[in-house]
Amino acid sequence: GAGVSQSPSNKVTEKGKDVELRCDPISGHTALYWYRQSLGQGLEFLIYFQGNSAPDKSGLPSDRFSAERTGGSVSTLTIQRTQQEDSAVYLCASSLDFGRPQQFFGPGTRLTVL
Amino acid sequence: TQLLEQSPQFLSIQEGENLTVYCNSSSVFSSLQWYRQEPGEGPVLLVTVVTGGEVKKLKRLTFQFGDARKDSSLHITAAQPGDTGLYLCAGEGAGGTSYGKLTFGQGTILTVHP
């Protein structure tokens, strides 16, 4: 596609439920990044993929968070047993290759945990 | 862990005024990027500065990278209501486990009143 797409755009869930967030990067981009953004704040790095590999998972807030990428393209971020503090906008970005400074961002998924 | 302190957090000014946003760190970055984000959208890259002391201009916006590559500033001349938005700085890690990763500042919410 022309840009990074994310789905759903909004997700409201109840505390304790699992959620899956999806990211479709720009075609041909080998690097993919997940960030979390609280209201009107900066971005918190969660995890990145180079191809299908995630060399550094240290940014994931807890073991309830996991992510995978298949076929070097689509990625899903899964949050198990959601908590209210997980409420935020989850942003995905891609770049041509890891270490290329320009990242292109999707519109984000706004997650609300009731 | 690299930190990037961005200030001010909020800026409310009248059309035609000038403003400066600052990003400071004790860490050295290989590059410094500035993004602008509109509500409901992902950040969009405005500029990347790479060389210490570098100055880049984008119409009424002037970006500067500190000589030591630890700080940066964004100056807007004669602000317009269309400049309203969230401005984010992001430093690209220079090496080690920080290589290739972006560290974001907390963001500056700019409101320009007509």
Side-chain angles (χ1 to χ4, degrees):
Chain A
V4 178
S5 61
Q6 292 186 246
S7 61
S9 56
N10 281 284
K11 177 70 176 179
V12 180
T13 190
E14 293 179 348
K15 177 181 172 181
K17 296 285 180 68
D18 299 350
V19 295
E20 276 191 0
L21 312 180
R22 176 188 168 106
C23 173
D24 279 275
I26 293 174
S27 178
H29 281 195
T30 63
L32 185 148
Y33 312 80
W34 283 99
Y35 296 89
R36 181 167 69 174
Q37 184 177 33
S38 299
L39 186 62
Q41 297 292 305
L43 278 65
E44 173 190 9
F45 169 80
L46 298 179
I47 190 171
Y48 82 91
F49 289 88
Q50 178 60 36
N52 293 332
S53 299
D56 183 359
K57 302 180 181 180
S58 61
L60 295 175
S62 75
D63 59 8
R64 296 185 295 104
F65 288 72
S66 62
E68 65 175 14
R69 188 180 187 194
T70 55
S73 181
V74 171
S75 176
T76 54
L77 176 68
T78 301
I79 309 174
Q80 295 179 309
R81 304 181 303 281
T82 52
Q83 303 295 312
Q84 288 184 331
E85 60 263 29
D86 299 334
S87 296
V89 175
Y90 290 82
L91 289 160
C92 173
S94 70
S95 64
L96 200 58
D97 197 359
F98 180 70
R100 294 291 185 104
Q102 184 167 3
Q103 297 181 16
F104 296 84
F105 283 83
T109 293
R110 180 175 296 279
L111 175 66
T112 303
V113 182
L114 301 176
Chain B
T1 303
Q2 296 186 306
L3 295 175
L4 200 49
E5 296 291 330
Q6 186 172 345
S7 63
Q9 188 175 358
F10 299 97
L11 204 47
S12 179
I13 61 172
Q14 294 297 125
E15 181 176 1
E17 293 183 2
N18 301 332
L19 67 111
T20 303
V21 179
Y22 300 92
C23 276
N24 296 286
S25 177
S26 59
S27 302
V28 174
F29 295 103
S30 60
S31 72
L32 202 297
Q33 302 172 30
W34 285 90
Y35 290 81
R36 179 179 164 185
Q37 186 177 16
E38 302 281 357
E41 299 179 7
V44 175
L45 182 67
L46 295 174
V47 78
T48 300
V49 284
V50 180
T51 306
E54 183 176 2
V55 177
K56 281 191 174 180
K57 291 192 175 184
L58 188 65
K59 297 183 179 179
R60 293 177 291 100
L61 278 61
T62 301
F63 305 85
Q64 186 164 7
F65 202 12
D67 291 341
R69 291 186 290 134
K70 294 181 179 181
D71 56 88
S72 181
S73 64
L74 158 61
H75 183 80
I76 301 179
T77 303
Q80 304 293 312
D83 296 328
T84 294
L86 174 66
Y87 290 82
L88 295 158
C89 61
E92 182 189 8
T97 57
S98 299
Y99 172 74
K101 295 179 185 176
L102 291 182
T103 299
F104 280 82
Q106 302 95 319
T108 296
I109 298 175
L110 171 64
T111 305
V112 183
H113 302 280

